[in-house]
């Protein structure tokens, strides 16, 4: 059975469910504003800055097998446009729901006396520890799913010039004179021919002058 690591009740993302007891149907609603943990979002793309406020609205419901946690997280995410690399900011709202099971009960709420054959299934379950649960892993997953994989400053952002890197949104008429590579090759060939003709003309004049000298002798 995979239990959570030792939880610290002073951690603002750790919540206590003792007030619910183990009475199926009991409800508790909580609101809390916490500082965003480090690397909350898509690394090097977009995310909630460390220490930024994250507003949490939670609904805790006691059920037979544990506590069902449903909630919403609201924060402001920051990153950069994938097209023009300008700063991007957007309001984020991430919803989540997860079951935190009692460590001494199976998925039907029955007391566990000995490890069963479904121990492998327990590895994918989250458990309460001393009546507490850590919201951070659940929050991280929800935020990543709510964020755009490729944020843009605007839907029609034209990006950067592929030749000089200029931001095209700042200069809609920005362009470079395109040269067809086929014509460029012909121009290079023509230049080579002209150079060859010049060499022939300068080299051909020498024999004529030499012949004139022989005739005078």
């Amino acid at each position: 059975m995979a239990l959570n690591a030792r939880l610290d009740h002073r951690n603002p993302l750790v919540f206590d469910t003792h007030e619910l007891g183990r009475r199926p149907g009991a409800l508790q609603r909580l609101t809390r504003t916490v500082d965003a943990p480090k690397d909350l979002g898509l690394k090097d793309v977009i995310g909630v800055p460390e220490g930024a406020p994250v507003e949490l609205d939670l609904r805790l419901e006691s059920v037979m097998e544990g506590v069902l946690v449903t909630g919403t997280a609201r924060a402001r995410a920051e990153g950069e446009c994938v097209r023009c690399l300008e700063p991007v900011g957007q309001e984020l709202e991430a919803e989540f729901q997860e079951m935190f099971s009692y460590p001494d009960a199976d998925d039907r709420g029955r007391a566990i006396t000995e490890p069963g054959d479904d121990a492998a299934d327990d590895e994918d379950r989250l458990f309460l520890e001393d009546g507490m649960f850590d919201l951070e892993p659940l929050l991280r997953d929800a935020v990543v799913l709510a964020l755009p994989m490729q944020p843009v400053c605007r839907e029609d952002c034209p990006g950067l010039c592929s030749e000089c890197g200029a931001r095209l949104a700042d200069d809609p008429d920005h362009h470079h004179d395109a040269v067809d590579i086929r014509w460029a090759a012909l121009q290079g060939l023509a230049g080579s021919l002209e150079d060859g003709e010049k060499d022939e003309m300068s080299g051909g004049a020498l024999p004529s002058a030499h012949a004139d000298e022989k005739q005078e002798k």
Side-chain angles (χ1 to χ4, degrees), residues 138-155:
L138 184 57
L139 176 63
R140 288 187 177 279
D141 291 344
V143 167
V144 168
L145 291 175
L147 288 171
M149 298 296 292
Q150 294 187 321
V152 291
C153 59
R154 68 187 199 196
E155 292 299 326

Side-chain angles (χ1 to χ4, degrees), residues 59-95:
R59 180 177 183 270
L60 312 183
E61 181 180 1
S62 178
V63 295
M64 289 292 293
E65 61 270 29
V67 176
L68 179 65
V69 178
T70 305
T72 303
R74 298 180 181 86
R76 181 167 180 79
E78 298 178 0
E80 65 178 26
C81 177
V82 296
R83 297 178 187 170
C84 68
L85 307 182
E86 286 294 302
V88 172
Q90 71 172 64
E91 298 302 320
L92 166 72
E93 183 170 304
E95 298 182 348

Side-chain angles (χ1 to χ4, degrees), residues 1-216:
M1 183 177 297
L3 297 177
N4 296 332
R6 188 67 183 175
L7 300 182
D8 183 354
H9 69 277
R10 295 169 296 182
N11 184 334
L13 287 172
V14 170
F15 291 82
D16 194 327
T17 67
H18 281 106
E19 290 187 15
L20 286 175
R22 295 185 66 161
R23 304 182 306 275
L27 292 174
Q28 184 180 10
R29 296 183 182 277
L30 299 171
T31 59
R32 182 181 295 182
T33 299
V34 301
D35 293 340
K38 185 178 180 181
D39 297 330
L40 182 59
L42 300 169
K43 190 174 182 180
D44 299 328
V45 180
I46 188 171
V48 181
E50 182 178 3
V54 180
E55 298 178 3
L56 300 173
D57 290 326
L58 302 181
R59 180 177 183 270
L60 312 183
E61 181 180 1
S62 178
V63 295
M64 289 292 293
E65 61 270 29
V67 176
L68 179 65
V69 178
T70 305
T72 303
R74 298 180 181 86
R76 181 167 180 79
E78 298 178 0
E80 65 178 26
C81 177
V82 296
R83 297 178 187 170
C84 68
L85 307 182
E86 286 294 302
V88 172
Q90 71 172 64
E91 298 302 320
L92 166 72
E93 183 170 304
E95 298 182 348
F96 48 85
Q97 185 176 70
E98 187 62 69
M99 172 68 70
F100 289 86
S101 302
Y102 297 124
D104 59 349
D106 64 11
D107 57 2
R108 296 183 181 179
R110 299 174 300 189
I112 297 176
T113 56
E114 295 181 1
D117 295 334
D118 58 351
D121 296 336
D122 289 344
E123 294 181 0
D124 297 327
R125 297 167 63 190
L126 297 176
F127 290 88
L128 294 169
E129 179 187 321
D130 296 331
M132 298 185 295
F133 67 88
D134 185 1
L135 188 67
E136 183 172 340
L138 184 57
L139 176 63
R140 288 187 177 279
D141 291 344
V143 167
V144 168
L145 291 175
L147 288 171
M149 298 296 292
Q150 294 187 321
V152 291
C153 59
R154 68 187 199 196
E155 292 299 326
D156 60 345
C157 174
L160 302 176
C161 174
S162 60
E163 294 189 33
C164 68
R167 187 168 181 262
L168 299 179
D170 296 334
D171 184 8
D173 297 326
H174 179 86
H175 70 282
H176 295 269
D177 293 333
V179 177
D180 192 315
I181 58 174
R182 295 169 297 180
W183 288 112
L186 290 175
Q187 290 175 355
L189 179 60
S192 298
L193 292 175
E194 290 177 359
D195 292 341
E197 290 176 355
K198 291 178 180 179
D199 292 342
E200 290 179 358
M201 292 178 64
S202 59
L206 293 176
S208 176
H210 186 65
D212 292 341
E213 291 179 358
K214 286 184 176 181
Q215 291 178 359
E216 290 177 357

